[in-house]
Amino acid sequence: SFDIVIVHKYDRFARNEIDHGVAEEKLNQYDVDLISVKEPIENNPVGNLQKSIIKAMNQYYSANLSEEVMKTMAIKAARCLHLGGKAPLGYNVVANEGEKKYEINEIEANAVRLIFKMYSEGEGYSSIIDKLNQYGYRTKNGTSFKKNSISEILRNEKYTGVYLYNRREKSKRVDGRKVKTNRKLKENDKIVRIEGGMPRIISDEN
């Protein structure tokens, strides 16, 4: 057990006022004190007011920073740059003068072409997976293909040369808890979608 949680500053504990309040209340339930090394505050009404102001400023800073980051990301997206995460099967990410761009990985791209070809010929997922295993192809993670991974590939517009960004909802905070929403698609007007922005692996004929 412990009696004190020490943080460098309160923004290292939480930058969202609700998150901070929920977590600190939980500590209080167990008689655990939260202490900021750089922001010493007395446990009295004036101290509580000071802490409230600090929490509000931390949240403002976090929100403003997020907005600036989104602006930067939008500029990079307009130039069809890689903005983090793992590249889809069939692509590598290469750095060129500080910018990360997509290029085709021909070995992986052959697996992608095989998937689209067999599917267009009416083959089912099981047959496609058997053929991929026969040729020794693997997913980007180095594992065997499954039906879900085949489905994701077939739905991915990037293979037809379409660059996509800001397509899915990010996780949100509800009552201080993170709720995953990354499977939900955003409204079309919020999605960056650029025809010809990706090196194309699949032709219209496929």
Side-chain angles (χ1 to χ4, degrees):
S1 63
F2 53 92
D3 300 316
I4 300 173
V5 171
I6 300 176
V7 294
H8 179 66
K9 295 178 70 177
Y10 284 120
D11 64 2
R12 297 298 87 194
F13 184 69
R15 286 187 177 175
N16 179 286
E17 285 190 82
I18 296 177
D19 292 346
H20 186 122
V22 170
E24 189 169 8
E25 177 62 27
K26 196 70 173 178
L27 292 176
N28 291 338
Q29 290 176 9
Y30 293 95
D31 295 322
V32 176
D33 293 325
L34 175 64
I35 296 177
S36 169
V37 175
K38 291 291 186 179
E39 299 155 330
I41 293 176
E42 294 184 10
N43 187 19
N44 56 37
V46 174
N48 291 336
L49 176 60
Q50 289 176 321
K51 185 182 289 187
S52 296
I53 293 172
I54 289 172
K55 288 190 293 184
M57 289 299 296
N58 288 342
Q59 180 162 325
Y60 167 78
Y61 173 80
S62 179
N64 186 62
L65 179 62
S66 296
E67 185 175 337
E68 292 303 315
V69 168
M70 287 302 295
K71 288 180 182 177
T72 301
M73 297 289 267
I75 293 171
K76 290 184 176 181
R79 297 169 63 188
C80 302
L81 301 179
H82 175 70
L83 299 178
K86 188 170 292 186
L89 184 74
Y91 293 103
N92 291 332
V93 176
V94 294
N96 183 13
E97 297 182 355
E99 295 184 340
K100 294 182 178 180
K101 299 182 178 181
Y102 291 99
E103 71 173 16
I104 294 177
N105 178 320
E106 285 298 339
I107 294 177
E108 294 179 358
N110 286 334
V112 174
R113 294 184 185 106
L114 177 62
I115 291 169
F116 276 86
K117 181 177 184 296
M118 292 186 67
Y119 185 77
S120 68
E121 293 172 350
E123 298 288 347
Y125 286 5
S126 296
S127 297
I128 295 173
I129 291 171
D130 288 343
K131 185 65 69 173
L132 290 168
N133 289 335
Q134 178 183 335
Y135 288 149
Y137 289 122
R138 291 290 182 269
T139 67
K140 202 71 174 180
N141 294 324
T143 60
S144 298
F145 286 90
K146 300 186 183 309
K147 291 183 178 181
N148 285 344
S149 54
I150 299 296
S151 177
E152 286 287 333
I153 289 171
L154 290 171
R155 293 199 307 267
N156 195 334
E157 292 183 83
K158 288 180 179 178
Y159 295 122
T160 59
V162 179
Y163 178 91
L164 293 168
Y165 172 69
N166 202 38
R167 187 164 173 251
R168 296 187 183 277
E169 295 284 357
K170 293 183 178 180
S171 299
K172 296 182 179 180
R173 293 280 180 178
V174 178
D175 295 331
R177 295 179 301 172
K178 182 181 285 189
V179 178
K180 291 185 177 181
T181 58
N182 60 315
R183 304 307 299 174
K184 183 179 178 181
L185 296 178
K186 290 189 175 183
E187 306 257 340
N188 285 332
D189 61 349
K190 296 180 180 179
I191 299 173
V192 176
R193 190 175 187 276
I194 303 175
E195 296 279 352
M198 291 287 294
R200 189 165 187 164
I201 292 176
I202 301 300
S203 65
D204 291 332
E205 288 73 27
N206 292 110

